[in-house]
């Protein structure tokens, strides 16, 4: 089998289930790597036709069918409940030896449900690329979203090293800088702070009563950065927030505490306290960026 420098095999058939922003980005990234055969399944015929015109997929389908028997690697790019339904309806198509993975933002008990549906000889390695951009749909897809991104693996007890290493090799081949392995509980707890909370803050910032017709004339880098992810796929993120409700509520409470701490310092005109608050944040941010780029 032909391999990338990192050991990802390109002479295989990859099936992408869900050809939106993330699925389309996988298709484009894997095509750029030289993967021989990429097929896609999605209800959006326009997206499928565009991907074929772009030359990034070889075959397109609106539902599961016999073509899935060709797939060595299957990437589910959809919400967990839709993925589970698809797997339940199409489990008889996956061949022995196929490797399945996903991109679901919340793991919970999804892996156990999927494990009960897997045909003999088919493995599932839960994953989550920490990659994305504004907007939604295939039209926003880009292979570049994986460049220097982090990739989280949430291995199941029955996963062997060869299976998790195969998904890790794909992530590295796509351009991801770090591949981290965690438990489902660790994943959901951390993602509430690093992903869900920033989306809540961005949408709250844009939904503030302060937003008026004059706002656009006063926007610079800080507002653009802080509100970037407010251009959100509302149904998808509603499901993610509700699926991880307890962790997200905990992080909202912790953020509210920090915000109230700053408000108190400001109300009391505590110049030293405000300066210390800001300097601590600056140091922690620099340390975070340094660690991110040097691991």
């Amino acid at each position: 089998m032909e391999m990338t420098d990192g050991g990802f095999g390109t002479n295989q058939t990859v099936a992408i289930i869900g050809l939106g922003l993330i699925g389309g980005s996988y298709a484009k990234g894997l095509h750029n790597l030289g993967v021989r055969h990429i097929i896609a399944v999605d209800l959006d015929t326009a997206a499928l036709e565009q991907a074929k015109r772009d030359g990034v997929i070889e075959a397109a389908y609106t539902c599961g069918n016999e073509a899935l028997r060709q797939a060595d690697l299957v990437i589910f790019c959809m919400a967990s409940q839709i993925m589970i339904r698809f797997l339940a309806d199409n489990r008889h198509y996956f061949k022995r030896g196929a490797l399945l993975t996903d991109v679901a933002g919340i793991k919970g008990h999804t892996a156990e449900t999927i494990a009960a549906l897997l045909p003999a000889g088919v493995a599932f390695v839960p994953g989550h690329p920490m990659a994305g951009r504004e907007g939604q749909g295939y039209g926003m897809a880009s292979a570049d979203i994986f460049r220097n991104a982090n990739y989280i693996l949430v291995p199941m007890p029955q996963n062997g090293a060869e299976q998790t290493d195969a998904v890790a090799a794909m992530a590295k081949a796509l351009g991801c800088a770090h591949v981290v392995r965690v438990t489902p509980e660790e994943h959901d707890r951390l993602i509430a702070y690093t992903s869900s909370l920033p989306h809540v803050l961005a949408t709250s910032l844009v939904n503030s009563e302060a937003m008026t017709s004059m706002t656009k004339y006063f926007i610079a880098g800080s507002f653009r950065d802080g509100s970037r992810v407010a251009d959100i796929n509302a149904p998808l993120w509603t499901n993610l927030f509700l699926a991880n409700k307890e962790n997200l509520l905990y992080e909202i409470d912790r953020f509210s505490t920090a915000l109230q701490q700053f408000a108190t310092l400001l109300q009391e005109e505590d110049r030293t306290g405000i300066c210390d608050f800001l300097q601590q944040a600056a140091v922690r941010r620099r340390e975070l960026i340094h660690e991110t780029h040097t691991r």
Side-chain angles (χ1 to χ4, degrees), residues 224-270:
R224 279 194 295 269
D225 290 346
S227 63
R228 181 181 65 82
V229 295
D231 184 358
I232 195 169
N233 182 332
L236 171 66
W237 280 94
T238 296
N239 289 334
L240 291 173
F241 293 155
L242 290 173
N244 204 26
K245 181 182 75 172
E246 296 306 324
N247 283 321
L248 180 53
L249 285 172
Y250 179 67
E251 294 304 335
I252 290 173
D253 283 345
R254 293 212 290 189
F255 178 80
S256 298
T257 298
L259 193 62
Q260 186 56 54
Q261 179 187 354
F262 182 82
T264 299
L265 294 171
L266 186 63
Q267 178 65 38
E268 296 176 353
E269 298 186 10
D270 184 344

Side-chain angles (χ1 to χ4, degrees), residues 81-115:
Q81 292 308 309
I82 300 174
M83 171 178 62
I84 290 168
R85 286 201 303 270
F86 185 95
L87 183 56
D89 292 341
N90 298 279
R91 61 189 302 274
H92 54 286
Y93 289 131
F94 298 108
K95 69 180 182 181
R96 180 178 288 271
L99 176 61
L100 282 52
T101 189
D102 74 328
V103 303
I106 303 301
K107 298 306 180 186
H109 300 291
T110 300
E112 292 96 324
T113 303
I114 290 175

Side-chain angles (χ1 to χ4, degrees), residues 13 23 27 33 47 59 64 75 78 81 87 105 110 123 132 152 176 183 187 232 247 260 282:
T13 297
L33 290 174
I75 307 172
M78 52 181 55
Q81 292 308 309
L87 183 56
T110 300
I152 313 301
C176 294
T183 66
H187 173 275
I232 195 169
N247 283 321
Q260 186 56 54

Side-chain angles (χ1 to χ4, degrees), residues 141-160:
S142 170
D144 291 339
I145 70 170
F146 298 108
R147 187 169 298 150
N148 295 320
N150 295 313
Y151 205 104
I152 313 301
L153 294 181
V154 190
M156 298 166 61
Q158 56 268 49
N159 290 151

Side-chain angles (χ1 to χ4, degrees), residues 26-124:
Y26 272 104
K28 292 180 177 183
L30 293 170
H31 172 74
N32 290 348
L33 290 174
V35 172
R36 291 293 181 86
H37 307 288
I38 303 174
I39 65 176
V41 180
D42 198 292
L43 293 174
D44 187 344
T45 56
L48 294 171
E49 290 167 2
Q50 185 59 55
K52 288 194 73 174
R53 286 195 295 270
D54 292 343
V56 300
I57 63 173
E58 182 178 61
Y61 307 95
T62 56
C63 61
N65 58 65
E66 292 280 346
L68 292 174
R69 297 190 192 280
Q70 307 167 28
D72 304 293
L73 173 64
V74 181
I75 307 172
F76 288 99
C77 301
M78 52 181 55
S80 295
Q81 292 308 309
I82 300 174
M83 171 178 62
I84 290 168
R85 286 201 303 270
F86 185 95
L87 183 56
D89 292 341
N90 298 279
R91 61 189 302 274
H92 54 286
Y93 289 131
F94 298 108
K95 69 180 182 181
R96 180 178 288 271
L99 176 61
L100 282 52
T101 189
D102 74 328
V103 303
I106 303 301
K107 298 306 180 186
H109 300 291
T110 300
E112 292 96 324
T113 303
I114 290 175
L117 294 171
L118 291 177
V122 175
F124 175 73

